[in-house]
Amino acid sequence: ALAHGEQNFFAHYLAAVAGMRAFQMSVTATEITVNHYAEAWRNLAAAQQLNPRFLPVYELTGLLIAVPLAHETTGQEAVLREGAVRFPRCPAIQLGLGFLEVRTGNVAAARARASQAAEWITSSSIPLRETLQLLEAEIRRREN
């Protein structure tokens, strides 16, 4: 998307999700997630190095953390924390931080981030709504 000058990464995200769902018919989620997740993170880290003020890098990092088999790194957390300072009202960043919180056992903080993100998500943002649902489900699992 960067190479083609695309500014709307969510269009690419939706296309990728649709492609992965179709592809999962013949390949297991583990094969898809582990390989593509690492490549996606490397590309986002490179884009962030090129332009630390490019909001879609922070948004997609937040969404990437929602991938079920993803293994978040210190680098991703640092990117999200920087993004939260630069773009404090970005729901994708709050969702990513919420996943980090719930996975470290801080369910109350994760719930607060999910609640805040829910206020900022527009009804037309399918990727963000789906990611919010994943975070809420993970919060419920940790509470039970």
Side-chain angles (χ1 to χ4, degrees):
L2 282 174
H4 296 298
E6 180 59 58
Q7 297 296 309
N8 184 358
F9 277 12
F10 286 118
H12 294 279
Y13 174 80
L14 286 173
V17 168
M20 284 181 70
R21 286 183 180 156
F23 193 57
Q24 284 175 342
M25 302 290 186
S26 61
V27 182
T28 68
T30 303
E31 290 173 313
I32 296 170
T33 303
V34 172
N35 296 331
H36 290 87
Y37 177 83
E39 181 182 354
W41 167 239
R42 282 192 305 273
N43 290 337
L44 287 173
Q48 198 256 351
Q49 291 284 324
L50 289 172
N51 185 355
R53 293 183 303 276
F54 192 51
L55 175 59
V57 169
Y58 301 103
E59 292 176 314
L60 287 180
T61 299
L63 296 177
L64 197 61
I65 289 176
V67 174
L69 295 179
H71 301 288
E72 54 275 352
T73 68
T74 304
Q76 289 168 314
E77 182 174 355
V79 165
L80 285 178
R81 298 228 181 263
E82 179 181 342
V85 171
R86 290 182 185 274
F87 307 101
R89 294 182 55 89
C90 176
I93 294 170
Q94 294 302 317
L95 290 170
L97 289 170
F99 276 100
L100 292 175
E101 298 282 11
V102 76
R103 290 173 186 170
T104 58
N106 194 345
V107 177
R111 184 173 296 290
R113 289 194 187 276
S115 176
Q116 189 65 71
E119 290 180 25
W120 296 332
I121 295 173
T122 64
S123 60
S124 63
S125 182
I126 295 168
L128 291 175
R129 290 232 168 263
E130 287 184 353
T131 305
L132 176 61
Q133 291 172 353
L134 289 172
L135 177 56
E136 290 170 338
E138 194 158 333
I139 289 170
R140 284 191 300 275
R141 274 193 300 278
R142 294 290 174 134
E143 288 176 333
N144 293 332

